[in-house]
Amino acid sequence: MAPKSNSALKIWRDGQLINWDDCNIHIMSHVVHYGSSVFEGVRSYETPNGGAIFRAKEHSRRLVDSCRIYRMAFKYSADEITQAMVDTLAANDLKDAYLRPLVIRTGQSIGVYAPNATIETFVITIPSSPYLGHDSISKGVSARISSWRRPAPSTNPTMAKAGGNYLSSQLAKMEAVADNYNEGIMLDTFGYLSEGSGMNVFCVKDGVLYTAPDAAGILHGITRDTVMKMAADLNIDVREQTILREFLYTCDEVFFCGTAAEVTAVTSVDRIDVGNGKPGPVTLKLQNQYLGIARGQIKDRHHWLTPVPQPAMAGR
């Protein structure tokens, strides 16, 4: 999801908006060697009233929580990070965009333990593009069960959205693409359903929505929470429980959800069709609700949208 031209974009770096090409770190930065970063993936959408960030406050709060888990001395509040996202979007005059708030350990240190490493914070924004392919929302995607497992709760803290946590996700995604699937689905250490390489998973059986619990090594996704709240609004029963691998082969619908993936149907798993091999009615209903609210076409009942002021017109 890289922009075609970076030169005109600005990046927020610890309170300053700087040119894209000037935003560099040293090769000896701690994050380069040990993956010591936490981040968020956030979306803004163009609405009838201008740009709006979807669930900015919740993403900002999770960023603060991730810093706490990884003992990173974070100097900003959640409200300040939300404002930084608004300012970055406004500075770049972007409405339909992807944002990446990022906190990293930099400095110049070669040891794992770096108590004096500098903590730097960035907000990056680029024009959005379909994460799983241009027709993924309308047609769905294929997935395979990955040979790579999610880490056990006592290995990496999966509640934190940390850069190093995505090394196994990279392997799962590369394995899936090499075998001509769109995406991988990972199991937990006990062999139960966990999540995709960078998104949560829901299953539908007899009109009931199922998803894996936090104990399955999942990231507690904000889009996952959104889906569960929308389901409650639509009187769809939701159950968090351990899910067997073979349940994916027998349920009526499966879908991914995440900031980048949005709500995307999984139409086959391990080359076995899910349902009739097409996006199902529950998936489509939730997808329409999600995109409708995000784009300002359906009432924002939960106050999930943070408006982005329009840049001032020249000469006014």
Side-chain angles (χ1 to χ4, degrees):
M1 295 197 321
K4 294 180 180 179
S5 175
N6 303 335
S7 59
L9 294 178
K10 300 286 186 181
I11 293 174
W12 189 95
R13 182 175 190 169
D14 282 319
Q16 301 294 319
L17 287 162
I18 64 174
N19 293 331
W20 180 285
D21 293 337
D22 296 332
C23 196
N24 303 309
I25 60 172
H26 198 278
I27 191 62
M28 286 297 293
S29 293
H30 193 267
V31 64
V32 176
H33 299 268
Y34 301 108
S36 49
S37 68
V38 298
F39 69 96
E40 285 296 315
V42 191
R43 274 294 306 269
S44 70
Y45 291 85
E46 184 167 4
T47 76
N49 298 315
I53 306 173
F54 190 74
R55 302 205 71 174
K57 295 177 182 178
E58 291 83 358
H59 282 287
S60 296
R61 171 60 191 272
R62 190 171 65 183
L63 185 72
V64 172
D65 290 346
S66 294
C67 287
R68 182 180 293 271
I69 291 169
Y70 272 97
R71 299 173 184 259
M72 301 174 81
F74 193 50
K75 60 185 178 183
Y76 300 105
S77 68
D79 287 344
E80 288 172 323
I81 291 300
T82 297
Q83 187 59 50
M85 287 193 279
V86 170
D87 293 345
T88 308
L89 280 170
N92 288 298
D93 194 17
L94 288 174
K95 298 179 180 65
D96 199 17
Y98 181 85
L99 296 109
R100 172 57 56 85
L102 173 71
V103 185
I104 61 176
R105 285 191 170 102
T106 56
Q108 298 182 34
S109 174
I110 199 64
V112 171
Y113 178 59
N116 298 317
T118 303
I119 306 296
E120 296 192 64
T121 304
F122 303 79
V123 176
I124 307 152
T125 183
I126 59 175
S128 65
S129 60
Y131 181 67
L132 292 173
H134 287 283
D135 57 357
S136 58
I137 292 293
S138 60
K139 295 183 179 179
V141 296
S142 62
R144 64 154 290 174
I145 304 298
S146 178
S147 65
W148 296 97
R149 299 287 181 94
R150 288 287 291 166
S154 57
T155 52
N156 292 336
T158 55
M159 277 188 67
K161 192 173 176 68
N165 289 3
Y166 284 80
L167 288 170
S168 59
S169 295
Q170 293 176 49
L171 293 170
K173 180 74 174 187
M174 289 187 286
E175 178 184 64
V177 173
D179 289 344
N180 295 314
Y181 295 89
N182 298 114
E183 189 52 74
I185 294 175
M186 303 175 77
L187 306 178
D188 68 11
T189 53
F190 299 102
Y192 295 113
L193 174 66
S194 182
E195 63 179 20
S197 67
M199 64 286 291
N200 293 115
V201 182
F202 281 88
C203 307
V204 181
K205 181 80 169 183
D206 297 329
V208 177
L209 203 56
Y210 296 88
T211 190
D214 291 349
I218 67 168
L219 177 71
H220 191 74
I222 290 167
T223 310
R224 174 179 177 271
D225 177 73
T226 301
V227 167
M228 294 170 76
K229 285 183 168 63
M230 292 190 307
D233 291 342
L234 296 168
N235 296 316
I236 299 171
D237 187 17
V238 182
R239 300 178 190 175
E240 291 182 85
Q241 65 180 58
T242 53
I243 298 172
L244 294 167
R245 169 182 178 154
E246 57 266 33
F247 187 70
L248 294 167
Y249 305 146
T250 63
C251 58
D252 304 318
E253 303 175 44
V254 176
F255 64 85
F256 289 129
C257 71
T259 295
E262 298 172 313
V263 176
T264 300
V266 178
T267 53
S268 69
V269 177
D270 292 342
R271 308 203 197 285
I272 299 173
D273 281 350
V274 176
N276 63 4
K278 297 178 181 179
V282 175
T283 301
L284 291 174
K285 183 180 291 187
L286 291 165
Q287 183 188 89
N288 290 336
Q289 279 286 306
Y290 179 81
L291 293 175
I293 295 169
R295 292 171 177 163
Q297 298 161 350
I298 295 175
K299 184 179 180 181
D300 180 17
R301 299 180 296 273
H302 299 281
H303 308 290
W304 285 334
L305 298 179
T306 298
V308 178
Q310 300 276 355
M313 294 178 62
R316 294 288 296 273

